[in-house]
Amino acid sequence: MIQTERTRTDVLVIGSGIAGLTTALHLADHCHVTVIAKKNLEEGSTYWAQGGIAAVLDPSDSVEAHVRDTLNAGAGLCDEKVVRFVSENSREMIDWLIELGVPFTPAEPGAPFPFHLTKEGGHSHRRVIHAADHTGRSVETILLDHAKAHENICLLSRHEAIDLIRDGERVIGAYVLHERTHTVKTIQAQAVVLATGGASKAYLYTSNPDTSTGDGIAMAWRAGCPVANMEFNQFHPTCLYHPRDRAFLISEAVRGEGGILRLPTGERFMHQYDQRGELAPRDIVARAIDSELKKHGFDYVLLDITHRGSTFIKQHFPTIYQRLLKVGIDMTREPIPVVPAAHYTCGGVVTDLHGRTTRPGLYAVGEVAYTGLHGANRLASNSLLEGLVFGREAAHDIIRTLPILPQQPKAPLWDSSKVEDPQEQVLISHDWDEIRRTMWDYVGIVRSDKRLKRAAKRLRMIQHEVNEYYCQHTINPNLIELRNLALVAELIVLSARRRKESRGLHYNKDYPRTFKRARPTVLTPKY
């Protein structure tokens, strides 16, 4: 039996990664903030980010160069105004993290910048600041420590958002399931911030944690918000291929520091695809690996950095080194077997430069949002930067508007009077597996009209099954995620079918050419 209760807060932040916590910390001196996480507070994608944060920090680098690299990676679909805005604010956000105490790796004595900067695929300069190879974990830990210490921030783990609550056009809160007590809370707020991350769990193989089920995108769509560029799913080229640890990412920085991609037979192959070789943008490297796997029938390729020596590898990649040792791979002596895996959702909920969606009272920051920064392909290490910049911008906009907001009506409690407890869970597990396999087989790195049509047909049927089940049965976390995942998968396919060209992360064999003029794919709910 579902219990219900009501609570109020000034701002509700859904998600506890870098974007959500940045928003909360910039708000906390001005109002009360409630931050919810559907699992543990540190379990989102930020914690697992290895490489670092792109920013203009070295005197030899420039905003112009960073903008140019981002635009090139984005294959003509980035919004240059947004790209410039993010790059111009990058130094200030890094300084903020340093002030908070993030332990970035120091530079060698005599370097022009006090912290070590690495170079990753698509970058023309060394501009990625990092904390060894555990940047995300270090940033997340520091942000959480500061959030826990602030009296105006309430952190709630095991609280899963079900749906947004609206009063007319305005979003006034959310229904939230507390997993431990099986209580649905009506959390009312003057502003709601979606910081829920992406949707890479829509794919069978992904580097993302289990929380990446597209929740914020699905909730915003159901609330009437448009989404854009959902067809651009970034596949990270180098995810560990091993039966005991399939979801472990091998950082872009390994290639940035000289890692070489080889076939299992030992031959290099990347220069056949791009003159930049291993340092080409991720979409090019992922497609190259996919092509070689299909051409030769291999299960994986090899990433070899043994030539850099044991001391260098252990110093620069201590987390990766130790993790690989646990599965019997010594990266100082042998190459690493890798395959591409779904990694980042470049599209999302349409927002402006302040993180505002088209619904008053609703903001979206981080991977859940479409800001125009990433275009058709995200430049490596721009994601954490985006979460920082737009988390702060959303907070500043909320602070400006809170004093002038009208009084809200009382939101209704959750109604579970017309549903019953499910007798079996097999539909949830079956449809979950089928969605992810359908997306991997038909909507992966290389697509075709035939594959997309098959995916659309099957996903429509699954959507019908899931929505019917949802309306008849008591909710639980797995059902909430399945409902969101089914919707977002359908949005990805719908977006992919609308793009009659190949661009960036979207490659369709039936439309291999790229149009001269780039246009975003914008979908709007019909309500």
Side-chain angles (χ1 to χ4, degrees):
M1 180 67 181
I2 293 283
Q3 303 296 316
T4 60
E5 63 179 66
R6 187 193 309 276
T7 185
R8 282 182 178 268
T9 186
D10 292 323
V11 181
L12 172 63
V13 177
I14 304 176
S16 59
I18 191 170
L21 291 177
T22 297
T23 307
L25 288 169
H26 281 87
L27 284 169
D29 287 340
H30 304 271
C31 60
H32 186 269
V33 187
T34 299
V35 180
I36 65 170
K38 66 179 180 179
K39 300 298 181 184
N40 296 327
L41 291 168
E42 68 279 359
E43 201 163 329
S45 293
T46 296
Y47 187 87
W48 300 104
Q50 298 171 356
I53 306 171
V56 179
L57 303 167
D58 190 278
S60 66
D61 197 5
S62 67
V63 168
E64 292 301 325
H66 189 196
V67 169
R68 183 172 60 251
D69 292 345
T70 301
L71 294 176
N72 287 339
L77 263 184
C78 300
D79 184 328
E80 185 170 350
K81 179 178 69 173
V82 174
V83 175
R84 188 171 301 280
F85 177 78
V86 171
S87 183
E88 288 172 347
N89 283 277
S90 62
R91 178 65 180 260
E92 193 172 339
M93 297 313 303
I94 296 301
D95 288 344
W96 179 67
L97 291 179
I98 292 171
E99 289 174 12
L100 292 182
V102 174
F104 290 117
T105 299
E108 297 292 330
F113 183 69
F115 296 97
H116 183 264
L117 302 175
T118 191
K119 185 179 180 182
E120 296 182 347
H123 290 273
S124 58
H125 290 74
R126 284 184 172 266
R127 67 166 67 96
V128 180
I129 188 169
H130 61 101
D133 62 347
H134 48 74
T135 307
R137 185 177 72 202
S138 295
V139 171
E140 178 75 7
T141 300
I142 292 295
L143 293 180
L144 268 178
D145 286 347
H146 281 272
K148 290 173 181 176
H150 204 294
E151 62 181 5
N152 269 353
I153 298 178
C154 174
L155 298 166
L156 301 175
S157 63
R158 300 286 171 177
H159 281 68
E160 184 158 3
I162 306 166
D163 257 326
L164 299 169
I165 306 170
R166 283 167 41 198
D167 176 47
E169 294 292 301
R170 185 169 195 87
V171 171
I172 61 171
Y175 293 115
V176 177
L177 175 66
H178 184 199
E179 182 181 337
R180 290 194 178 96
T181 63
H182 213 54
T183 299
V184 173
K185 298 181 179 181
T186 300
I187 303 182
Q188 197 153 349
Q190 294 289 81
V192 177
V193 181
L194 297 173
T196 53
S200 287
K201 285 297 286 187
Y203 287 91
L204 187 61
Y205 300 112
T206 175
S207 63
N208 283 195
D210 289 340
T211 54
S212 300
T213 51
D215 303 331
I217 297 171
M219 286 189 292
W221 177 266
R222 290 193 293 264
C225 295
V227 300
N229 283 9
M230 291 298 295
E231 69 269 38
F232 296 112
N233 308 98
Q234 188 175 79
F235 289 79
H236 197 288
T238 53
C239 197
L240 175 64
Y241 180 84
H242 194 281
R244 285 169 50 195
D245 209 342
R246 281 186 179 271
F248 184 59
L249 186 88
I250 308 300
S251 170
E252 188 99 11
V254 175
R255 285 182 286 123
E257 294 296 338
I260 297 169
L261 286 166
R262 304 183 187 275
L263 298 177
T265 52
E267 297 101 321
R268 296 184 69 175
F269 60 89
M270 270 310 304
H271 281 91
Q272 301 173 29
Y273 294 89
D274 192 284
Q275 63 181 3
R276 292 165 290 187
E278 282 76 8
L279 289 179
R282 287 177 177 176
D283 61 323
I284 295 173
V285 179
R287 275 200 303 276
I289 294 174
D290 184 69
S291 175
E292 292 297 314
L293 295 180
K294 289 174 178 173
K295 184 192 304 182
H296 299 286
F298 296 134
D299 292 326
Y300 57 86
V301 297
L302 298 170
L303 179 57
D304 185 4
I305 197 171
T306 55
H307 55 283
R308 293 306 304 264
S310 178
T311 301
F312 177 90
I313 292 170
K314 291 177 182 178
Q315 179 183 352
H316 282 76
F317 308 111
T319 304
I320 298 174
Y321 173 73
Q322 292 295 334
R323 183 77 171 263
L324 291 175
L325 280 183
K326 291 180 180 179
V327 294
I329 299 171
D330 183 348
M331 66 184 290
T332 68
R333 297 172 177 268
E334 59 189 314
I336 308 162
V338 295
V339 291
H343 181 60
Y344 192 86
T345 307
C346 287
V349 184
V350 175
T351 67
D352 64 11
L353 278 176
H354 303 292
R356 294 179 296 212
T357 71
T358 58
R359 290 296 189 203
L362 181 65
Y363 296 75
V365 293
E367 191 176 354
V368 67
Y370 165 76
T371 62
L373 173 63
H374 304 307
N377 182 24
R378 176 177 68 89
L379 181 66
S381 291
N382 269 352
S383 54
L384 295 181
L385 176 61
E386 181 185 39
L388 288 165
V389 171
F390 286 103
R392 183 185 66 173
E393 287 306 305
H396 287 173
D397 192 72
I398 292 169
I399 292 166
R400 286 194 297 269
T401 58
L402 273 179
I404 60 173
L405 290 177
Q407 183 68 32
Q408 294 178 351
K410 184 180 288 187
L413 292 171
W414 179 258
D415 182 7
S416 60
S417 61
K418 298 179 181 178
V419 297
E420 60 184 13
D421 292 340
Q423 299 302 307
E424 54 187 26
Q425 300 286 336
V426 66
L427 179 137
I428 294 177
S429 59
H430 181 274
D431 281 355
W432 178 276
D433 291 341
E434 187 166 358
I435 289 169
R436 300 182 69 209
R437 187 166 293 279
T438 296
M439 292 295 289
W440 184 260
D441 290 343
Y442 298 143
V443 202
I445 296 170
V446 176
R447 301 160 179 178
S448 69
D449 277 358
K450 188 175 183 179
R451 292 176 186 175
L452 293 173
K453 185 177 180 180
R454 285 178 176 172
K457 181 179 180 180
R458 186 63 197 115
L459 289 170
R460 276 195 301 269
M461 294 174 64
I462 292 175
Q463 268 266 71
H464 177 74
E465 292 172 2
V466 171
N467 287 332
E468 187 176 65
Y469 188 91
Y470 176 84
C471 291
Q472 295 174 354
H473 295 96
T474 307
I475 58 166
N476 60 58
N478 290 334
L479 178 55
I480 294 169
E481 289 186 333
L482 176 63
R483 180 185 180 222
N484 292 332
L485 201 71
L487 172 55
V488 171
E490 192 170 41
L491 292 175
I492 292 171
V493 174
L494 179 57
S495 297
R497 296 186 75 186
R498 288 198 179 183
R499 185 163 293 278
K500 304 301 183 183
E501 63 166 348
S502 290
R503 183 183 297 273
L505 300 166
H506 173 78
Y507 187 83
N508 188 326
K509 294 194 299 181
D510 295 313
Y511 305 100
R513 297 181 64 181
T514 302
F515 294 152
K516 289 184 179 180
R517 185 175 180 182
R519 298 176 182 272
T521 305
V522 180
L523 306 178
T524 304
K526 296 178 180 178
Y527 296 121

